[in-house]
Amino acid sequence: MTVIVTGAAGFIGMHTARRLLDRGETVVGVDNYNTYYDPALKPARTERLEQNPAFRMVRMDIADAEAFAALVRETGARRIIHLAAQAGVRYSIENPFAYQKANLAGHLSVLEAARHNDVEHLVYASSSSVYGDRPLDGSGFSENDPTSAPVSLYAATKKSCELMSHSYAKLYGLPQSGLRFFTVYGPWGRPDMAYFSFTQKILAGEPIEVYGEGRMARDFTYVDDIVDGIVGVLDRPPPGDQPRILNIGDSRPVGLMDMISTLETALGRKAVKIMRPMQPGDVTATFADVSALRALTGYDPKVKLEDGIPRFVDWYRSFYG
């Protein structure tokens, strides 16, 4: 059976497509190859996927509703993993209309194509950003916690996508699962993420800017663990009129300064740190309660930061030299 993966030339998209191919699926990737970050990465990821004859990449903007619907119709795909989006909290302040098109119009385009072509399960990416800025209190963020106070446009668009999906499930019985991702890292990652940009600067002998003066924490989740959860959910569609929202993270938040220390160890170099205040749109901490995902799929993240960061560093050195 064919699976469509939007954002397949992206970080999580590439890893997800590879997992599906490894288990014998036929995968059609969709990506518009935007230049938000290093334009060398997406073609390189695609090249790895295209080594498998069961993979085909289609260069397309998912906001083009007619073209995307035609693709779903042509492939006969009954499952869609929708990961394409304009990412980045800070960039949403600089270029808000990119989020209107990619995240809102793009999600609506996928919904329309799915409901008109009898898609059996749509799994889509949401974000932990929907929880807003809240302190750690010893317990993880639960899917039932309030999500009505986003502190960035990016978060607002992701919450809007969840609401659109809920309405399509109730109106049309379209089976859907939304996954709230918590900070994903690993080989082939996104250069706008802190661990990636810190690596670039430390190796170049440049100082790093540490926002929130280092008093921040993130639920860093290794990409292979994330893919375990995505594929596990894909295989378990809900009833069409009962859309689900699930956290997907590591459930072990790590302080920003601890992450930097782990990165310094892996690189064998100390960072020159410039402490900065919080950036607009940033949140203080994230912490995933993954009990619902675990109950559904047996999800069990295995890669700790002290193991995952060296794997990323090894990839970075092999890719960039």
Side-chain angles (χ1 to χ4, degrees):
M1 187 179 294
T2 298
V3 184
I4 289 177
V5 178
T6 74
F11 169 39
I12 302 174
M14 183 205 78
H15 285 278
T16 302
R18 286 187 68 187
R19 180 73 61 83
L20 293 171
L21 292 166
D22 287 346
R23 71 175 198 170
E25 307 274 9
T26 297
V27 179
V28 176
V30 180
D31 209 288
N32 70 347
Y33 292 82
N34 72 16
T35 55
Y36 168 62
Y37 56 69
D38 182 0
L41 276 170
K42 288 195 171 188
R45 294 179 186 133
T46 302
E47 184 178 349
R48 289 175 65 84
L49 293 173
E50 289 178 335
Q51 292 171 5
N52 190 314
F55 178 81
R56 172 166 68 104
M57 180 64 85
V58 177
R59 189 163 187 151
M60 177 188 295
D61 187 338
I62 57 163
D64 185 339
E66 290 186 7
F68 187 74
L71 179 67
V72 177
R73 197 162 51 244
E74 170 225 321
T75 60
R78 292 292 175 263
R79 292 173 294 165
I80 298 174
I81 300 176
H82 174 37
L83 303 174
Q86 178 58 60
V89 168
R90 294 169 189 164
Y91 187 63
S92 69
I93 295 171
E94 302 169 22
N95 191 3
F97 287 103
Y99 295 75
Q100 175 198 37
K101 182 179 181 184
N103 297 7
L104 300 179
H107 193 73
L108 182 58
S109 173
V110 172
L111 287 171
E112 276 290 284
R115 71 113 165 174
H116 283 295
N117 289 281
D118 300 321
V119 166
E120 296 170 357
H121 196 189
L122 168 60
V123 178
Y124 67 90
S126 186
S127 169
S128 64
S129 297
V130 301
Y131 290 111
D133 193 12
R134 46 180 289 186
L136 293 180
D137 61 3
S139 61
F141 300 177
S142 165
E143 293 91 345
N144 296 319
D145 290 345
T147 55
S148 57
V151 296
S152 69
L153 178 66
Y154 169 72
T157 62
K158 284 300 187 180
K159 180 60 181 177
S160 298
C161 291
E162 292 182 1
L163 294 172
M164 283 193 282
S165 280
H166 188 274
S167 70
Y168 267 65
K170 295 302 180 181
L171 285 168
Y172 309 114
L174 175 61
Q176 295 175 76
S177 299
L179 301 178
R180 290 175 177 166
F181 290 107
F182 285 68
T183 311
V184 187
Y185 76 99
W188 296 96
R190 278 178 24 216
D192 62 320
M193 300 294 285
Y195 71 93
F196 197 121
S197 63
F198 288 172
T199 297
Q200 290 176 312
K201 290 182 181 297
I202 292 170
L203 289 177
E206 300 173 3
I208 63 173
E209 295 183 307
V210 182
Y211 290 102
E213 297 179 337
R215 294 189 292 270
M216 300 167 72
R218 292 290 183 269
D219 198 337
F220 291 100
T221 315
Y222 192 71
V223 66
D224 288 355
D225 289 328
I226 286 285
V227 174
D228 286 345
I230 294 172
V231 174
V233 170
L234 179 69
D235 292 340
R236 296 167 175 84
D241 63 348
Q242 297 177 33
R244 57 162 84 106
I245 295 289
L246 296 163
N247 289 335
I248 180 167
D250 187 78
S251 203
R252 291 175 289 201
V254 175
L256 179 57
M257 298 305 292
D258 292 330
M259 184 276 282
I260 293 171
S261 177
T262 302
L263 186 57
E264 289 174 326
T265 299
L267 292 170
R269 300 189 186 189
K270 299 295 287 184
V272 177
K273 307 173 189 70
I274 302 174
M275 310 309 278
R276 302 289 194 199
M278 286 276 286
Q279 288 274 283
D282 270 352
V283 297
T284 306
T286 61
F287 181 3
D289 176 347
V290 296
S291 55
L293 180 60
R294 182 178 295 117
L296 177 68
T297 68
Y299 178 72
D300 181 26
K302 298 176 178 61
V303 182
K304 296 181 179 180
L305 193 74
E306 55 265 34
D307 299 316
I309 285 291
R311 296 184 195 179
F312 165 74
V313 168
D314 288 346
W315 167 82
Y316 183 93
R317 285 183 157 135
S318 68
F319 187 77
Y320 287 104

mmCIF file of all heavy atoms in Angstrom, residues 13-56:
data_model
loop_
_atom_site.group_PDB
_atom_site.id
_atom_site.type_symbol
_atom_site.label_atom_id
_atom_site.label_comp_id
_atom_site.label_asym_id
_atom_site.label_seq_id
_atom_site.Cartn_x
_atom_site.Cartn_y
_atom_site.Cartn_z
ATOM 1 N N GLY A 13 10.706 13.959 8.163
ATOM 2 C CA GLY A 13 10.120 13.323 6.990
ATOM 3 C C GLY A 13 11.034 12.295 6.355
ATOM 4 O O GLY A 13 10.598 11.201 5.979
ATOM 5 N N MET A 14 12.325 12.631 6.210
ATOM 6 C CA MET A 14 13.267 11.687 5.606
ATOM 7 C C MET A 14 13.380 10.424 6.445
ATOM 8 O O MET A 14 13.334 9.296 5.924
ATOM 9 C CB MET A 14 14.646 12.321 5.465
ATOM 10 C CG MET A 14 15.666 11.413 4.775
ATOM 11 S SD MET A 14 17.400 11.739 5.185
ATOM 12 C CE MET A 14 17.518 10.966 6.803
ATOM 13 N N HIS A 15 13.530 10.596 7.759
ATOM 14 C CA HIS A 15 13.682 9.430 8.633
ATOM 15 C C HIS A 15 12.418 8.570 8.638
ATOM 16 O O HIS A 15 12.493 7.333 8.670
ATOM 17 C CB HIS A 15 14.030 9.879 10.047
ATOM 18 C CG HIS A 15 15.447 10.340 10.206
ATOM 19 N ND1 HIS A 15 16.500 9.462 10.389
ATOM 20 C CD2 HIS A 15 15.987 11.579 10.206
ATOM 21 C CE1 HIS A 15 17.634 10.154 10.498
ATOM 22 N NE2 HIS A 15 17.345 11.435 10.390
ATOM 23 N N THR A 16 11.257 9.213 8.589
ATOM 24 C CA THR A 16 9.999 8.466 8.561
ATOM 25 C C THR A 16 9.859 7.686 7.260
ATOM 26 O O THR A 16 9.486 6.503 7.261
ATOM 27 C CB THR A 16 8.811 9.423 8.732
ATOM 28 O OG1 THR A 16 8.948 10.134 9.972
ATOM 29 C CG2 THR A 16 7.491 8.676 8.726
ATOM 30 N N ALA A 17 10.163 8.344 6.136
ATOM 31 C CA ALA A 17 10.082 7.666 4.841
ATOM 32 C C ALA A 17 11.027 6.471 4.792
ATOM 33 O O ALA A 17 10.670 5.393 4.278
ATOM 34 C CB ALA A 17 10.392 8.649 3.714
ATOM 35 N N ARG A 18 12.231 6.627 5.314
ATOM 36 C CA ARG A 18 13.187 5.508 5.310
ATOM 37 C C ARG A 18 12.665 4.321 6.118
ATOM 38 O O ARG A 18 12.812 3.167 5.719
ATOM 39 C CB ARG A 18 14.534 5.964 5.872
ATOM 40 C CG ARG A 18 15.339 6.831 4.931
ATOM 41 C CD ARG A 18 16.722 7.109 5.464
ATOM 42 N NE ARG A 18 17.536 5.900 5.490
ATOM 43 C CZ ARG A 18 18.748 5.833 6.032
ATOM 44 N NH1 ARG A 18 19.277 6.901 6.607
ATOM 45 N NH2 ARG A 18 19.443 4.720 6.006
ATOM 46 N N ARG A 19 12.041 4.612 7.255
ATOM 47 C CA ARG A 19 11.506 3.516 8.064
ATOM 48 C C ARG A 19 10.404 2.774 7.320
ATOM 49 O O ARG A 19 10.331 1.538 7.346
ATOM 50 C CB ARG A 19 10.969 4.071 9.379
ATOM 51 C CG ARG A 19 10.367 3.008 10.316
ATOM 52 C CD ARG A 19 11.406 2.128 10.966
ATOM 53 N NE ARG A 19 12.309 2.906 11.782
ATOM 54 C CZ ARG A 19 12.045 3.275 13.051
ATOM 55 N NH1 ARG A 19 10.921 2.907 13.628
ATOM 56 N NH2 ARG A 19 12.927 3.991 13.732
ATOM 57 N N LEU A 20 9.534 3.512 6.666
ATOM 58 C CA LEU A 20 8.460 2.884 5.902
ATOM 59 C C LEU A 20 9.017 2.046 4.758
ATOM 60 O O LEU A 20 8.560 0.927 4.499
ATOM 61 C CB LEU A 20 7.514 3.953 5.359
ATOM 62 C CG LEU A 20 6.704 4.728 6.400
ATOM 63 C CD1 LEU A 20 5.981 5.900 5.740
ATOM 64 C CD2 LEU A 20 5.705 3.822 7.117
ATOM 65 N N LEU A 21 10.020 2.578 4.074
ATOM 66 C CA LEU A 21 10.649 1.826 2.981
ATOM 67 C C LEU A 21 11.314 0.559 3.505
ATOM 68 O O LEU A 21 11.221 -0.509 2.881
ATOM 69 C CB LEU A 21 11.680 2.698 2.270
ATOM 70 C CG LEU A 21 11.129 3.876 1.465
ATOM 71 C CD1 LEU A 21 12.246 4.849 1.103
ATOM 72 C CD2 LEU A 21 10.415 3.384 0.200
ATOM 73 N N ASP A 22 11.961 0.666 4.655
ATOM 74 C CA ASP A 22 12.656 -0.497 5.225
ATOM 75 C C ASP A 22 11.694 -1.625 5.559
ATOM 76 O O ASP A 22 12.094 -2.802 5.588
ATOM 77 C CB ASP A 22 13.430 -0.085 6.481
ATOM 78 C CG ASP A 22 14.677 0.723 6.178
ATOM 79 O OD1 ASP A 22 15.089 0.749 5.001
ATOM 80 O OD2 ASP A 22 15.226 1.340 7.110
ATOM 81 N N ARG A 23 10.438 -1.293 5.830
ATOM 82 C CA ARG A 23 9.487 -2.357 6.147
ATOM 83 C C ARG A 23 8.625 -2.742 4.937
ATOM 84 O O ARG A 23 7.614 -3.425 5.091
ATOM 85 C CB ARG A 23 8.627 -1.978 7.351
ATOM 86 C CG ARG A 23 7.613 -0.892 7.129
ATOM 87 C CD ARG A 23 6.758 -0.714 8.377
ATOM 88 N NE ARG A 23 5.537 0.001 8.107
ATOM 89 C CZ ARG A 23 4.534 0.125 8.970
ATOM 90 N NH1 ARG A 23 4.619 -0.434 10.162
ATOM 91 N NH2 ARG A 23 3.444 0.793 8.663
ATOM 92 N N GLY A 24 9.031 -2.288 3.750
ATOM 93 C CA GLY A 24 8.418 -2.764 2.527
ATOM 94 C C GLY A 24 7.300 -1.927 1.957
ATOM 95 O O GLY A 24 6.625 -2.355 1.016
ATOM 96 N N GLU A 25 7.098 -0.721 2.473
ATOM 97 C CA GLU A 25 6.053 0.152 1.946
ATOM 98 C C GLU A 25 6.511 0.822 0.648
ATOM 99 O O GLU A 25 7.718 0.997 0.410
ATOM 100 C CB GLU A 25 5.714 1.259 2.955
ATOM 101 C CG GLU A 25 5.366 0.764 4.344
ATOM 102 C CD GLU A 25 3.907 0.408 4.505
ATOM 103 O OE1 GLU A 25 3.174 0.369 3.498
ATOM 104 O OE2 GLU A 25 3.501 0.169 5.657
ATOM 105 N N THR A 26 5.550 1.232 -0.164
ATOM 106 C CA THR A 26 5.807 2.150 -1.265
ATOM 107 C C THR A 26 5.530 3.556 -0.757
ATOM 108 O O THR A 26 4.476 3.804 -0.165
ATOM 109 C CB THR A 26 4.887 1.847 -2.465
ATOM 110 O OG1 THR A 26 5.187 0.536 -2.946
ATOM 111 C CG2 THR A 26 5.092 2.858 -3.587
ATOM 112 N N VAL A 27 6.474 4.462 -0.950
ATOM 113 C CA VAL A 27 6.359 5.809 -0.385
ATOM 114 C C VAL A 27 6.455 6.851 -1.491
ATOM 115 O O VAL A 27 7.376 6.815 -2.317
ATOM 116 C CB VAL A 27 7.454 6.073 0.673
ATOM 117 C CG1 VAL A 27 7.342 7.496 1.231
ATOM 118 C CG2 VAL A 27 7.361 5.047 1.808
ATOM 119 N N VAL A 28 5.518 7.782 -1.493
ATOM 120 C CA VAL A 28 5.574 8.959 -2.351
ATOM 121 C C VAL A 28 5.836 10.161 -1.456
ATOM 122 O O VAL A 28 5.027 10.475 -0.576
ATOM 123 C CB VAL A 28 4.269 9.158 -3.147
ATOM 124 C CG1 VAL A 28 4.327 10.451 -3.951
ATOM 125 C CG2 VAL A 28 4.027 7.966 -4.070
ATOM 126 N N GLY A 29 6.967 10.805 -1.658
ATOM 127 C CA GLY A 29 7.315 11.988 -0.890
ATOM 128 C C GLY A 29 6.863 13.254 -1.595
ATOM 129 O O GLY A 29 6.833 13.314 -2.829
ATOM 130 N N VAL A 30 6.513 14.244 -0.813
ATOM 131 C CA VAL A 30 6.125 15.550 -1.344
ATOM 132 C C VAL A 30 6.914 16.612 -0.592
ATOM 133 O O VAL A 30 6.977 16.589 0.641
ATOM 134 C CB VAL A 30 4.612 15.817 -1.168
ATOM 135 C CG1 VAL A 30 4.232 17.183 -1.719
ATOM 136 C CG2 VAL A 30 3.784 14.728 -1.838
ATOM 137 N N ASP A 31 7.526 17.536 -1.333
ATOM 138 C CA ASP A 31 8.268 18.622 -0.693
ATOM 139 C C ASP A 31 8.412 19.764 -1.688
ATOM 140 O O ASP A 31 8.495 19.523 -2.905
ATOM 141 C CB ASP A 31 9.656 18.148 -0.255
ATOM 142 C CG ASP A 31 10.179 18.912 0.954
ATOM 143 O OD1 ASP A 31 10.530 20.092 0.809
ATOM 144 O OD2 ASP A 31 10.226 18.325 2.052
ATOM 145 N N ASN A 32 8.433 20.999 -1.175
ATOM 146 C CA ASN A 32 8.616 22.145 -2.076
ATOM 147 C C ASN A 32 10.049 22.682 -2.053
ATOM 148 O O ASN A 32 10.363 23.654 -2.737
ATOM 149 C CB ASN A 32 7.625 23.266 -1.750
ATOM 150 C CG ASN A 32 7.925 23.956 -0.433
ATOM 151 O OD1 ASN A 32 8.726 23.463 0.365
ATOM 152 N ND2 ASN A 32 7.275 25.072 -0.182
ATOM 153 N N TYR A 33 10.934 22.064 -1.243
ATOM 154 C CA TYR A 33 12.360 22.425 -1.195
ATOM 155 C C TYR A 33 12.554 23.924 -0.929
ATOM 156 O O TYR A 33 13.359 24.582 -1.586
ATOM 157 C CB TYR A 33 13.065 22.028 -2.497
ATOM 158 C CG TYR A 33 13.169 20.539 -2.679
ATOM 159 C CD1 TYR A 33 12.095 19.804 -3.183
ATOM 160 C CD2 TYR A 33 14.328 19.853 -2.337
ATOM 161 C CE1 TYR A 33 12.173 18.433 -3.330
ATOM 162 C CE2 TYR A 33 14.415 18.484 -2.483
ATOM 163 C CZ TYR A 33 13.336 17.781 -2.982
ATOM 164 O OH TYR A 33 13.416 16.422 -3.124
ATOM 165 N N ASN A 34 11.837 24.446 0.043
ATOM 166 C CA ASN A 34 12.047 25.869 0.334
ATOM 167 C C ASN A 34 13.436 26.077 0.926
ATOM 168 O O ASN A 34 14.120 25.133 1.328
ATOM 169 C CB ASN A 34 10.942 26.435 1.231
ATOM 170 C CG ASN A 34 11.020 25.963 2.672
ATOM 171 O OD1 ASN A 34 12.036 25.449 3.133
ATOM 172 N ND2 ASN A 34 9.937 26.122 3.401
ATOM 173 N N THR A 35 13.857 27.312 0.963
ATOM 174 C CA THR A 35 15.247 27.638 1.339
ATOM 175 C C THR A 35 15.316 28.252 2.735
ATOM 176 O O THR A 35 16.175 29.082 3.013
ATOM 177 C CB THR A 35 15.872 28.591 0.312
ATOM 178 O OG1 THR A 35 15.034 29.754 0.173
ATOM 179 C CG2 THR A 35 16.015 27.903 -1.034
ATOM 180 N N TYR A 36 14.427 27.842 3.611
ATOM 181 C CA TYR A 36 14.429 28.335 4.996
ATOM 182 C C TYR A 36 15.764 28.042 5.686
ATOM 183 O O TYR A 36 16.237 28.817 6.501
ATOM 184 C CB TYR A 36 13.257 27.705 5.747
ATOM 185 C CG TYR A 36 13.281 27.881 7.240
ATOM 186 C CD1 TYR A 36 13.230 29.143 7.817
ATOM 187 C CD2 TYR A 36 13.350 26.775 8.089
ATOM 188 C CE1 TYR A 36 13.246 29.301 9.192
ATOM 189 C CE2 TYR A 36 13.353 26.921 9.465
ATOM 190 C CZ TYR A 36 13.305 28.189 10.010
ATOM 191 O OH TYR A 36 13.312 28.339 11.375
ATOM 192 N N TYR A 37 16.374 26.890 5.365
ATOM 193 C CA TYR A 37 17.696 26.590 5.908
ATOM 194 C C TYR A 37 18.575 26.021 4.796
ATOM 195 O O TYR A 37 18.145 25.934 3.637
ATOM 196 C CB TYR A 37 17.620 25.656 7.118
ATOM 197 C CG TYR A 37 16.914 24.338 6.913
ATOM 198 C CD1 TYR A 37 17.452 23.328 6.118
ATOM 199 C CD2 TYR A 37 15.709 24.073 7.561
ATOM 200 C CE1 TYR A 37 16.820 22.114 5.956
ATOM 201 C CE2 TYR A 37 15.063 22.852 7.410
ATOM 202 C CZ TYR A 37 15.626 21.883 6.617
ATOM 203 O OH TYR A 37 14.994 20.676 6.460
ATOM 204 N N ASP A 38 19.794 25.663 5.124
ATOM 205 C CA ASP A 38 20.823 25.194 4.189
ATOM 206 C C ASP A 38 20.221 24.389 3.035
ATOM 207 O O ASP A 38 19.759 23.255 3.217
ATOM 208 C CB ASP A 38 21.825 24.334 4.954
ATOM 209 C CG ASP A 38 22.973 23.826 4.075
ATOM 210 O OD1 ASP A 38 22.983 24.156 2.869
ATOM 211 O OD2 ASP A 38 23.839 23.113 4.595
ATOM 212 N N PRO A 39 20.218 24.946 1.822
ATOM 213 C CA PRO A 39 19.571 24.272 0.693
ATOM 214 C C PRO A 39 20.263 22.985 0.253
ATOM 215 O O PRO A 39 19.713 22.240 -0.570
ATOM 216 C CB PRO A 39 19.621 25.329 -0.418
ATOM 217 C CG PRO A 39 20.723 26.251 -0.040
ATOM 218 C CD PRO A 39 20.750 26.274 1.454
ATOM 219 N N ALA A 40 21.443 22.699 0.787
ATOM 220 C CA ALA A 40 22.124 21.455 0.424
ATOM 221 C C ALA A 40 21.513 20.239 1.117
ATOM 222 O O ALA A 40 21.658 19.100 0.648
ATOM 223 C CB ALA A 40 23.602 21.542 0.777
ATOM 224 N N LEU A 41 20.823 20.461 2.236
ATOM 225 C CA LEU A 41 20.362 19.335 3.034
ATOM 226 C C LEU A 41 19.213 18.567 2.379
ATOM 227 O O LEU A 41 19.213 17.336 2.362
ATOM 228 C CB LEU A 41 19.934 19.823 4.423
ATOM 229 C CG LEU A 41 21.057 19.970 5.448
ATOM 230 C CD1 LEU A 41 20.549 20.685 6.692
ATOM 231 C CD2 LEU A 41 21.629 18.614 5.822
ATOM 232 N N LYS A 42 18.234 19.273 1.836
ATOM 233 C CA LYS A 42 17.060 18.568 1.306
ATOM 234 C C LYS A 42 17.389 17.687 0.104
ATOM 235 O O LYS A 42 16.962 16.520 0.060
ATOM 236 C CB LYS A 42 15.938 19.557 1.005
ATOM 237 C CG LYS A 42 15.292 20.116 2.270
ATOM 238 C CD LYS A 42 13.969 20.791 1.988
ATOM 239 C CE LYS A 42 13.265 21.133 3.290
ATOM 240 N NZ LYS A 42 11.889 21.623 3.077
ATOM 241 N N PRO A 43 18.159 18.167 -0.881
ATOM 242 C CA PRO A 43 18.544 17.253 -1.972
ATOM 243 C C PRO A 43 19.359 16.061 -1.478
ATOM 244 O O PRO A 43 19.219 14.951 -2.005
ATOM 245 C CB PRO A 43 19.360 18.150 -2.904
ATOM 246 C CG PRO A 43 18.895 19.536 -2.615
ATOM 247 C CD PRO A 43 18.589 19.549 -1.147
ATOM 248 N N ALA A 44 20.211 16.273 -0.472
ATOM 249 C CA ALA A 44 21.023 15.165 0.037
ATOM 250 C C ALA A 44 20.150 14.126 0.732
ATOM 251 O O ALA A 44 20.374 12.918 0.592
ATOM 252 C CB ALA A 44 22.084 15.698 0.995
ATOM 253 N N ARG A 45 19.158 14.589 1.485
ATOM 254 C CA ARG A 45 18.231 13.638 2.110
ATOM 255 C C ARG A 45 17.454 12.869 1.040
ATOM 256 O O ARG A 45 17.265 11.651 1.134
ATOM 257 C CB ARG A 45 17.260 14.389 3.023
ATOM 258 C CG ARG A 45 17.886 15.055 4.249
ATOM 259 C CD ARG A 45 16.817 15.773 5.029
ATOM 260 N NE ARG A 45 17.298 16.566 6.151
ATOM 261 C CZ ARG A 45 16.917 17.804 6.401
ATOM 262 N NH1 ARG A 45 16.056 18.415 5.594
ATOM 263 N NH2 ARG A 45 17.377 18.457 7.456
ATOM 264 N N THR A 46 16.993 13.612 0.019
ATOM 265 C CA THR A 46 16.223 12.971 -1.058
ATOM 266 C C THR A 46 17.047 11.915 -1.773
ATOM 267 O O THR A 46 16.552 10.833 -2.113
ATOM 268 C CB THR A 46 15.751 14.034 -2.065
ATOM 269 O OG1 THR A 46 14.969 15.015 -1.378
ATOM 270 C CG2 THR A 46 14.923 13.412 -3.168
ATOM 271 N N GLU A 47 18.312 12.209 -2.007
ATOM 272 C CA GLU A 47 19.193 11.261 -2.694
ATOM 273 C C GLU A 47 19.271 9.944 -1.944
ATOM 274 O O GLU A 47 19.267 8.867 -2.551
ATOM 275 C CB GLU A 47 20.585 11.874 -2.843
ATOM 276 C CG GLU A 47 21.561 11.025 -3.630
ATOM 277 C CD GLU A 47 22.916 11.690 -3.789
ATOM 278 O OE1 GLU A 47 23.040 12.890 -3.471
ATOM 279 O OE2 GLU A 47 23.851 10.999 -4.229
ATOM 280 N N ARG A 48 19.292 10.006 -0.631
ATOM 281 C CA ARG A 48 19.337 8.779 0.163
ATOM 282 C C ARG A 48 18.044 7.988 0.007
ATOM 283 O O ARG A 48 18.061 6.755 -0.103
ATOM 284 C CB ARG A 48 19.572 9.112 1.645
ATOM 285 C CG ARG A 48 20.973 9.621 1.942
ATOM 286 C CD ARG A 48 21.112 10.043 3.387
ATOM 287 N NE ARG A 48 20.977 8.928 4.300
ATOM 288 C CZ ARG A 48 21.955 8.094 4.644
ATOM 289 N NH1 ARG A 48 23.161 8.237 4.106
ATOM 290 N NH2 ARG A 48 21.746 7.125 5.507
ATOM 291 N N LEU A 49 16.927 8.684 -0.010
ATOM 292 C CA LEU A 49 15.644 8.001 -0.165
ATOM 293 C C LEU A 49 15.504 7.372 -1.543
ATOM 294 O O LEU A 49 14.961 6.271 -1.686
ATOM 295 C CB LEU A 49 14.498 8.979 0.079
ATOM 296 C CG LEU A 49 14.355 9.519 1.514
ATOM 297 C CD1 LEU A 49 13.297 10.609 1.562
ATOM 298 C CD2 LEU A 49 14.004 8.389 2.482
ATOM 299 N N GLU A 50 15.995 8.071 -2.549
ATOM 300 C CA GLU A 50 15.828 7.594 -3.927
ATOM 301 C C GLU A 50 16.709 6.392 -4.255
ATOM 302 O O GLU A 50 16.587 5.808 -5.333
ATOM 303 C CB GLU A 50 16.081 8.743 -4.908
ATOM 304 C CG GLU A 50 14.950 9.773 -4.880
ATOM 305 C CD GLU A 50 15.187 10.945 -5.802
ATOM 306 O OE1 GLU A 50 16.372 11.235 -6.101
ATOM 307 O OE2 GLU A 50 14.197 11.578 -6.211
ATOM 308 N N GLN A 51 17.555 5.996 -3.335
ATOM 309 C CA GLN A 51 18.306 4.753 -3.516
ATOM 310 C C GLN A 51 17.392 3.540 -3.441
ATOM 311 O O GLN A 51 17.753 2.454 -3.878
ATOM 312 C CB GLN A 51 19.416 4.659 -2.461
ATOM 313 C CG GLN A 51 20.515 5.694 -2.636
ATOM 314 C CD GLN A 51 21.479 5.733 -1.469
ATOM 315 O OE1 GLN A 51 21.392 4.918 -0.550
ATOM 316 N NE2 GLN A 51 22.406 6.681 -1.482
ATOM 317 N N ASN A 52 16.205 3.735 -2.886
ATOM 318 C CA ASN A 52 15.220 2.656 -2.815
ATOM 319 C C ASN A 52 14.213 2.837 -3.950
ATOM 320 O O ASN A 52 13.567 3.879 -4.047
ATOM 321 C CB ASN A 52 14.506 2.692 -1.463
ATOM 322 C CG ASN A 52 13.645 1.471 -1.215
ATOM 323 O OD1 ASN A 52 12.889 1.041 -2.087
ATOM 324 N ND2 ASN A 52 13.752 0.899 -0.024
ATOM 325 N N PRO A 53 14.049 1.859 -4.835
ATOM 326 C CA PRO A 53 13.144 2.009 -5.982
ATOM 327 C C PRO A 53 11.674 2.141 -5.596
ATOM 328 O O PRO A 53 10.844 2.511 -6.439
ATOM 329 C CB PRO A 53 13.384 0.732 -6.797
ATOM 330 C CG PRO A 53 13.950 -0.248 -5.827
ATOM 331 C CD PRO A 53 14.730 0.550 -4.840
ATOM 332 N N ALA A 54 11.342 1.873 -4.331
ATOM 333 C CA ALA A 54 9.952 2.000 -3.884
ATOM 334 C C ALA A 54 9.620 3.428 -3.465
ATOM 335 O O ALA A 54 8.512 3.693 -2.993
ATOM 336 C CB ALA A 54 9.670 1.043 -2.728
ATOM 337 N N PHE A 55 10.576 4.338 -3.654
ATOM 338 C CA PHE A 55 10.355 5.739 -3.273
ATOM 339 C C PHE A 55 10.298 6.629 -4.503
ATOM 340 O O PHE A 55 11.072 6.451 -5.446
ATOM 341 C CB PHE A 55 11.478 6.241 -2.360
ATOM 342 C CG PHE A 55 11.323 7.685 -1.971
ATOM 343 C CD1 PHE A 55 10.475 8.063 -0.945
ATOM 344 C CD2 PHE A 55 12.023 8.689 -2.652
ATOM 345 C CE1 PHE A 55 10.321 9.399 -0.599
ATOM 346 C CE2 PHE A 55 11.868 10.019 -2.310
ATOM 347 C CZ PHE A 55 11.012 10.382 -1.285
ATOM 348 N N ARG A 56 9.370 7.574 -4.477
ATOM 349 C CA ARG A 56 9.296 8.599 -5.524
ATOM 350 C C ARG A 56 9.083 9.953 -4.861
ATOM 351 O O ARG A 56 8.226 10.097 -3.989
ATOM 352 C CB ARG A 56 8.147 8.318 -6.483
ATOM 353 C CG ARG A 56 7.872 9.431 -7.492
ATOM 354 C CD ARG A 56 6.963 8.967 -8.624
ATOM 355 N NE ARG A 56 5.603 8.683 -8.212
ATOM 356 C CZ ARG A 56 4.565 9.505 -8.457
ATOM 357 N NH1 ARG A 56 4.750 10.648 -9.096
ATOM 358 N NH2 ARG A 56 3.356 9.154 -8.087
#
